[in-house]
Amino acid sequence: MIPGPLEVSDGVRAAAAEVPRRHVAPDLVEAMGASLEAMRHVWRAGNEAQPFIVAGSGTLAMEMATWNLVAPGERVVVVNTGFFSDRAAEMLRRRGANVAQVSAEPGDAPGADAVAQALDDHPTAALFATHVDTSTGVRVDAEALCRVASERDMLTVFDGVCATGGERFEMEAWNADVYLTASQKAIGLPAGLALLVASARALKRRRALTSPPPMAIDWLEWLPVMTAYEERRPAYFATPATTLVWALRTGLAEILSADTDPATAMDARVAAHAEVAQTFRAAWRELELDLVPVSEALAANTLSAVRYPDGVGQELVGAIKERGVVVAPGLHPQLKERYFRVGHMGDVITRPTDINRCIAAVSDAVRAARSGL
Ligand SMILES: *Cc1c(COP(=O)(O)O)cnc(C)c1O
């Protein structure tokens, strides 16, 4: 029950266990093409946007967005909600960007007004934000941030590694430019794929860059390959992770299986995550445990970041494990000794038995810790 890598569905596991394909095998070409098409639906991106499937992790997807969109010397505003926003800011600095951060106390998120102010301070090329920060369980209001950036004609990049597939994100309707993730979080696959969709505007920005990204993460190297696969033609630039692509088709199809209309299917998927999140939050309330996010509105549906009871510390994670469930310790550098994290995204949301088992293990460990004080 950690916030990634997750337990995968039986279908994904069976697909991942099949004989590895060649990158140009006709059935692999079909799996890649179908996955690219499915990504447009899961991301709620239009036909103008371009999905990319590349071997790597979420950090590589972040690197791709950074290097393909931002030129050295450009100003970028980072909405900082924790550990992974810090990572984005550092990456942008290494790209030579002039990074301005809008931060809040851990557990809180800057409001759209504060972000608008920062965008207006100096000419700015892009806004970067973490949709759900896995270190705090805080979800930013992505729609409001997109509005603020759109009004100013600035590009937006959202790190959706702990959100994509589990939280509402309307890439086309909100006019977002990059939404990126990794296979092992809310998408529900084994680790190893960097997945992102870039808007037409984002690709235009890449074409205008005079200092190109490293070759392996250059959108313009990958674009003809993605186009070919979507047209069901084999292509090669660098070898894809064929076993994971084979499983990706299955995983994305499962996400979209709730309805024949992909829009309704995503609504159902997001609603199912919200419902499970409510179940967990009710359990934390019952145990009189506080969340790290300072309000319900900021609390993600994909994971809970929960403060330890008074007088109890990280030993609780071990006590929960002794009861058969693995949860994660804190991650935010300022308060990691004071809370633990429970992932509730991906296939597990369809398994009430596992959810109840997790809640029972945490409840029992908390009660035992309190009675031992
Ligand atoms: C896990 C995570 C990352 C990093 O992804 P890796 O696959 O570990 O490289 C980045 N951002 C967020 C929000 C994450 O949760």
Side-chain angles (χ1 to χ4, degrees), residues 57-59 62 84 87 130 132 134 159 161-162 182 184-185:
S57 80
T59 305
M62 294 168 72
F84 289 105
R87 176 172 294 187
T130 311
V132 169
T134 324
D159 169 352
V161 178
C162 200
Q184 79 278 16
K185 304 248 177 114

Side-chain angles (χ1 to χ4, degrees), residues 111-198:
D113 290 350
V115 175
Q117 179 79 53
L119 294 177
D120 289 338
D121 275 350
H122 297 282
T124 302
L127 174 68
F128 277 59
T130 311
H131 191 190
V132 169
D133 199 293
T134 324
S135 72
T136 55
V138 165
R139 180 189 54 227
V140 297
D141 184 345
E143 186 176 9
L145 294 178
C146 284
R147 199 178 311 121
V148 162
S150 271
E151 283 165 6
R152 291 160 178 78
D153 208 22
M154 287 166 196
L155 295 172
T156 46
V157 175
F158 287 89
D159 169 352
V161 178
C162 200
T164 312
E167 300 279 4
R168 184 163 173 254
F169 195 89
E170 302 283 334
M171 186 160 174
E172 185 176 33
W174 297 350
N175 209 11
D177 292 292
V178 176
Y179 194 40
L180 63 90
T181 192
S183 49
Q184 79 278 16
K185 304 248 177 114
I187 292 287
L189 280 134
L193 291 177
L195 306 166
L196 68 83
V197 178

